Every structure is written in structure tokens, then in C-alpha cells.
Amino acid sequence: MRSSRHFWATSPSMIPPITTALLAAAIFVADTATDLEIAVAVFYVAVVLLSLNFCRTRGVWLVFAGCVALTVLSFALTRTGSLQSGLINCIISISAIGATTYLALKIESAKAAVHEARAQLAHVARVTTLGELTASIGHEVNQPITGVVTSGNACLRWLSAQPPNLEKAKQAVERMLRDANRASDIIGRIRGLAKRAPPEERKWLSINDVILETLALTRSEIEKSGISLQMQLAEDIPLALADRIQLQQVILNLTINAIEAMSADGPRQLLIRTVRDGTGSAIVAIHDSGGGLEAGKIARLFDAFYTTKREGMGLGLTISRSIVEMHGGRLWAETGTPRGAVFQFTLPIEGKTVA
Ligand code: ADP
């Protein structure tokens, strides 16, 4: 049997508010029932920390106020023990709860800033590459194509004139051929650009590591969208000779597409799998539970500029496929079972195993 690592990186709801309320109630009962010398109220710090899972800043401060009120109430209701020790314990507990609340909120806001920065980085990495490409391809190819259309119209006019002007029509056809060749040269140059993967950029790397590094960029997006992420990474995959940045780009594109496909209501499950296929390749599969793919349109998804998104550029899959093919692999899409889509690619692997 193939060994795999399974873990749920995010679970949509962790400790629910009701459990936190029950904990607060238990602390209150214990604090009231025990002597004033025993500072049970200090455990309210746990209540504050748990409230971070489901409250925003103001809510956490309200929880803090509630814990302070319960601490004071317990102090007033407790009949046994030294009043002086009780007062000192009460002050210590309230200070601990206050300090915990303040520090926890500070840490949370720092974490939010890091998540935001990561999301921006992932977005910028994608948009910069694709945006630059779109702009240049669009501009470069558009000019000769407009030329072809203009000369085509002129040719038609010369041919339908009475009598037809064959010399002028011939010149128009020559201009059409020249422009069409220019467009084809531009596309050839762009292809050459994409194929230019200098050998020194290719290194022996673990595909699982590249997946984990890339997911770190989208983790906050995944968490924010309430998506539960499952990873099944086979541990017996040998190293692949590949360009790390380009592989990251493929995984990032496929992951972002999967996240975007799951933005509607419904189950939000993302599964990323790696396996050895037994023919010298690793397979990376990205399953989502989104709207899925129309069987008749699957082949078109990989066409340049094909997009169904309002802000889409329709280049992510085209570029991803060319990167995978440059590495000697294959990238394809299938409809998921019972729903969603599965994008898979293969990558040739050698006998080297992860150190
Ligand atoms: P873009 O994301 O800019 O639209 P892509 O080339 O990455 O460009 O994707 C092309 C199209 O393929 C998308 O507009 C979408 O219709 C479809 N697609 C890609 N990934 C998925 C997916 N996981 N589920 C459903 N449709 C998808």
C-alpha cells in the first residue's frame, strides 16, 4: 500500500460558542463554591482565548467584560475564606484576563496583517505575470490581425469592382499574407519566450514540498473562504528535475481556479493529492467541490483567452499546460465525482528519493 499523509488544515468551525459559554459557567460555579484564597477566576483567560475563534475585536472585549463581571460576582457571593486574599486574587485574575485579552488581540491583528500580505503576494504574483503577458500578446497580435481584416475588405472591393482590379486585389492579398506571417512570428516568439527555461533553473526538487510552499501563499484565502483543505501527499515520490517557480505558478493557478470555482453556496472542499503512476511519473491532482465543468467545453478551457469570469484573463490554464508540457508532463481536466472539477498533471520523476 502507498503511504500518504492526511490532514485537515482548516476546519470550518473549531470550538463553538456554546462550549465556551459552558466553560465560563463551570469556572463561575467553581470560583463561587471554593474558598476566596483559590484564584479559580484566572482560568477565564481560556474563555477569552476561545472567544477569538468566533468573535471580532469588540466581541472579545465584551467577553472580557463578562469574565470580569463574573469574577467580581463570585467574589461577592463566596462566603468562605479570607476577604483580603480574595480581594488580591480578584485583582490578579482581572489583571491576567485583561492582559491576555490585550495580547491575544494584538497577536490576532498581526496574524491578519500577515494573511493579508500573503493573499496580496499570491494575487500580485499571478496578476503580474498574466497581466503583463495579456497586455503584450493583445497589443502585438491585434495590429497584424486588424491589418488582415482591412486588406481583406479592400481585396473584396477590388474584386467586386466593374471591371475587377486584379492587380490591386493581388496587392491586398500580399499585404494580408505579410500581416498573417507577422502575427504567426509574434506567436512563435511568445511561445519561444514561454519555452525558455534555462537548464540552470531546473533543480532536483520534491513536488510535495513545492505544493506545500505554494499553498502557504493561498492559505489565508482558503481559510477566509471557509474551505476545508485536505492533503494526501504520497511520501514515496522521487525528486523531479523541474523549475520551482514555474511549478509553483501551475499549482497556484490551479488552486486559485479551484477556490474561485467554489465561491457559490455549497460544499467547499479542496483536495490536493500526489501519487506515483507506476510509469515514471508523479500525478498531482486538485479536486474541488465547485460548480464543475461542462463536458462539451473541457477542451476549450485550455484555449488562450477562454474565460467565463468577469475579471478573468483566460491565460492561467494555457500557461500552466505549456509549463507542464515543457517539463515533459501532461495537464488535463475532468469532471469531479460527485461534483466539482479535477485538474491533474503529470511530472516525470527519476529514481532519486527525498533526502
Ligand atoms: P481565468 O481564471 O482567467 O478565467 P484560466 O485559463 O485559468 O483563466 O481558466 C479558464 C476557464 O476555465 C475559467 O474561466 C473557468 O471557466 C474554467 N475553470 C478553470 N478552473 C476551473 C474549476 N476548478 N472549476 C470550474 N471551471 C474552471
Side-chain angles (χ1 to χ4, degrees), residues 149-285:
V149 173
T150 314
S151 305
N153 283 330
C155 180
L156 277 181
R157 269 200 314 277
W158 294 124
L159 286 178
S160 46
Q162 287 304 333
N165 189 332
L166 293 183
E167 185 50 34
K168 291 275 185 197
K170 184 170 160 253
Q171 285 169 8
V173 171
E174 280 168 357
R175 282 199 304 274
M176 282 163 70
L177 283 175
R178 196 195 56 211
D179 283 338
N181 281 332
R182 214 174 111 210
S184 155
D185 284 346
I186 292 166
I187 289 168
R189 275 212 312 277
I190 292 164
R191 277 209 173 130
L193 202 73
K195 280 197 178 133
R196 206 182 49 199
E200 64 268 25
E201 301 234 334
R202 294 206 180 183
K203 299 215 168 97
W204 291 103
L205 37 93
S206 147
I207 180 73
N208 288 348
D209 287 351
V210 179
I211 291 175
L212 293 172
E213 285 159 19
T214 314
L215 281 183
L217 292 173
T218 49
R219 194 163 291 272
S220 68
E221 200 55 43
I222 289 173
E223 281 172 9
K224 240 187 0 215
S225 319
I227 292 171
S228 91
L229 169 67
Q230 193 186 6
M231 310 271 273
Q232 293 175 4
L233 305 181
E235 281 166 357
D236 61 350
I237 298 188
L239 301 179
L241 186 61
D243 185 310
R244 183 181 295 274
I245 304 288
Q246 290 185 339
L247 276 193
Q248 285 179 346
Q249 199 182 347
V250 172
I251 296 160
L252 196 60
N253 277 332
L254 299 182
T255 311
I256 291 179
N257 275 345
I259 295 173
E260 287 175 351
M262 292 189 286
S263 54
D265 288 344
R268 293 181 190 183
Q269 280 156 359
L270 179 62
L271 166 66
I272 302 187
R273 269 186 325 117
T274 53
V275 280
R276 273 179 93 155
D277 75 349
T279 64
S281 287
I283 301 181
V284 179

